[in-house]
Amino acid sequence: MSLLVVGLSHRSAPVSVLERAALSADAQIKLLQDTVAAEPAAEAAVLATCNRIELYADVDKFHAGVAELSTLLAQHSGVGLEELTPYLYVHYEDRAVHHFFSVACGLDSMVVGEGQILGQIKDALATAQELHTAGRLLNDLFQQALRVGKRAHSETGIDRAGQSLVTFGLEQLSSGAPADAWLKGKRALVIGAGSMSSLAAATLARAGVAELVVANRTFDRAERLAALLAEQYGQRPAEPDDVDVLARAVPMESVPDELTRADVVVSCTGATGLVLTADLVAEAVEGRTGAPAVERAAGSDSDSDSVRSGLPPTSVGSEDGCPLDLSAVQGSAVQGASGFSVMGEAAVAGMDAATLEQHAAWVDNGTVDRREGRRTPEIDTDAVAALAAAAATLGRVPERRRPEPVAEVPRPLPVLSLLDLAMPRDIDAAVHRLLGVRLVDIESLAEASADAPMAADVDQVRRIVSDEVAAFDAAQRAAHITPTVVALRAMAADVVASEIARLDGRLPGLDDKQRGEITQTVRRVVDKLLHAPTVRVKQLAAEPGGAGYADALRTLFDLDAETVAAVSRADDDSRDHNSAALGGLDFGRENFDSNNFESAENRGRA
């Protein structure tokens, strides 16, 4: 059996596809059950977050496994297989382990280094264990992934490379200003009471918002979260820098009213439809400002477009000594509306060579008049000739200096800032067009994080991942041979027991002391003969290409394949039930040395 992962994430698929492919809790359960029921897979686990959906399975056939897992993902996500396939990625065996450990360390997250993924991996493992779809391989994989992630965060500064998705989103809302300073004193509304919403609420409370309102469809959960926040952050400040947050819970029906009071809204629910529509947000803005919410003009990217016409014009008509006929050029069809630069290429289009030279000289703060045969010594004739040649060849004149800077007009601050962390989205993307509203969602976070700087510690984390992958592979290879070694020792114990029984028949006069001494001698001989080969074969099996040693051992000692399989099944059972029981036999994993032989012999005799 081998590890296979099939999935899609923010790195392989657009947000619109991820949004449609999002799996509900019930869909994840059904997907796990159908996966282990399929022929190629023996184990399965699903890692579903706001920006990734991955199906992990232990399969016996690669191509059949890829086909089956892809089909199951398409069926349970509701996205057609033909549409979903271009966005799927596949990792197998070592590459699958490397990918998963990178995910656990936050290297594959939308915000590099964020630690929230560890909690999501833990939840995915708990679900698979509860449904009994995780066996030895996936239990080992997920548990080591959690250890690798914790190691990366404790041994490196990966936390400095990125933050949680919540923190990153709030920083995007604050337009680069420190999120804590921007949030302090604001009124915040959190919609949802799950893990992401709870993290958002705690982040807002730590930043010192003046009021924190939690809304959830299940009001009891909202009350519990609000009570926890009030207990932790609602006390009177003992120090000037301490926070004092008023936290309260409201039902979902109160969200429209709370929108008119909130400055910042964070939404992350499991709803399949929109929680905040554009009309609802527009009504909230109108309730706050007293004026109807209007949309930005098409192509507008800021709230300041309405005042763009008030910008001061460029200096047409005020350039002393300019050889152009400014009144004629300003109204020409070439230039169009006023506001062009007299230094630009459009201003000198179609100019004859003599006037072109004169204009070039004026640009360089010199004077020239070819019509009178006078030329100032400051003029570089070669430069003027090159400029004229360029104009004749290209049909245009390059800029000789930068246009005058356009005056900046301060942008009005939004009256309502929205952060949508849900997948599928909670907030209608159309609200982005409303003046006075700023929306940051998963899609915009993905674009922003693409340019986020990565810390130097990322390289160190990558080395940790590589080392841990090698260690995991070695452990899996060694574990593969363990049932064979256990079966070999059990067979040796059977041989010892059989020979001692035959000795009793031939020498019935032996007393207990003599029989015990002979038995111990035979056991020691067999143990010494098996010790070096079994220890060495375990070491060899842990190396690359060591899988064949188990087959060689079974062939050399003529071990029964079913006996080896029974040991393997018992080992899997011991992992699920914290015991090693197979018909009363203990076939647990061992350190194969002389101290363990007696228990092996007893197992064989039983």
Side-chain angles (χ1 to χ4, degrees), residues 157-487:
I158 189 67
D159 293 322
R160 296 193 298 268
Q163 321 96 317
S164 72
L165 201 60
V166 172
T167 305
F168 189 65
L170 291 173
E171 288 186 352
Q172 295 304 304
L173 280 179
S174 65
S175 300
D180 287 358
W182 176 73
L183 288 167
K184 197 171 186 63
K186 284 184 167 55
R187 294 185 297 271
L189 169 63
V190 175
I191 305 176
S195 58
M196 182 74 80
S197 299
S198 299
L199 177 62
T203 303
L204 292 166
R206 284 196 301 270
V209 295
E211 182 183 41
L212 184 56
V213 180
V214 180
N216 193 57
R217 296 191 185 280
T218 305
F219 184 64
D220 290 345
R221 294 190 65 182
E223 281 190 314
R224 285 196 297 270
L225 178 55
L228 288 173
L229 294 169
E231 179 180 353
Q232 187 167 1
Y233 302 102
Q235 73 277 4
R236 298 306 306 173
E239 300 293 337
D241 293 335
D242 287 350
V243 297
D244 181 25
V245 177
L246 171 63
R248 57 189 176 87
V250 298
M252 287 294 288
E253 294 75 16
S254 300
V255 165
D257 292 334
E258 296 297 337
L259 279 178
T260 63
R261 304 179 66 253
D263 301 304
V264 181
V265 179
V266 180
S267 185
C268 186
T269 73
T272 56
L274 294 175
V275 176
L276 299 182
T277 63
D279 290 340
L280 185 61
V281 174
E283 292 174 4
V285 172
E286 182 177 353
R288 294 196 58 159
T289 62
V294 296
E295 292 189 358
R296 296 182 177 92
S300 169
D301 61 353
S302 76
D303 292 338
S304 60
D305 292 295
S306 59
V307 296
R308 191 176 298 276
S309 59
L311 294 176
T314 52
S315 53
V316 174
S318 62
E319 300 287 352
D320 296 335
C322 180
L324 300 181
D325 183 355
L326 295 178
S327 59
V329 174
Q330 182 174 354
S332 69
V334 174
Q335 300 303 332
S338 62
F340 69 95
S341 169
V342 295
M343 308 301 172
E345 59 187 54
V348 294
M351 187 181 293
D352 61 72
T355 308
L356 177 64
E357 288 187 16
Q358 193 172 16
H359 183 269
W362 171 79
V363 169
D364 285 338
N365 296 319
T367 59
V368 61
D369 189 350
R370 289 188 58 171
R371 290 168 294 185
E372 297 180 5
R374 295 189 301 270
R375 190 182 305 274
T376 61
E378 292 83 8
I379 300 301
D380 187 340
T381 56
D382 292 337
V384 173
L387 183 63
T393 302
L394 302 176
R396 61 184 178 85
V397 179
E399 291 269 1
R400 293 303 302 272
R401 75 180 187 189
R402 293 182 179 180
E404 296 178 356
V406 178
E408 290 288 338
V409 175
R411 298 182 179 183
L413 296 176
V415 297
L416 185 59
S417 299
L418 307 172
L419 176 59
D420 186 358
L421 299 176
M423 183 62 68
R425 72 185 74 209
D426 280 346
I427 304 175
D428 190 347
V431 306
H432 183 68
R433 298 197 297 266
L434 296 175
L435 287 173
V437 176
R438 177 167 173 76
L439 171 65
V440 170
D441 56 16
I442 293 294
E443 190 167 11
S444 56
L445 285 177
E447 295 173 357
S449 64
D451 299 325
M454 296 174 62
D457 301 88
V458 169
D459 289 336
Q460 186 177 350
V461 174
R462 289 191 177 122
R463 288 192 292 271
I464 289 176
V465 168
S466 296
D467 292 344
E468 291 286 353
V469 170
F472 181 82
D473 289 344
Q476 291 299 306
R477 287 191 294 267
H480 179 70
I481 204 169
T482 296
T484 302
V485 175
V486 172

Side-chain angles (χ1 to χ4, degrees), residues 67-131:
E68 188 67 33
L69 266 59
S70 301
T71 301
L72 288 170
L73 273 176
Q75 288 177 353
H76 292 279
S77 67
V79 180
L81 181 59
E82 292 185 359
E83 182 180 359
L84 191 64
T85 298
Y87 305 112
L88 293 177
Y89 49 78
V90 175
H91 298 294
Y92 189 56
E93 294 185 333
D94 290 358
R95 291 303 307 167
V97 177
H98 189 281
H99 169 76
F100 191 43
F101 287 179
S102 298
V103 169
C105 292
L107 293 180
D108 198 58
S109 296
M110 186 178 293
V111 181
V112 174
E114 62 94 8
Q116 189 180 4
I117 187 66
L118 289 176
Q120 294 164 332
I121 290 174
K122 185 177 180 181
D123 292 342
L125 176 59
T127 300
Q129 289 174 334
E130 182 179 351
L131 296 173

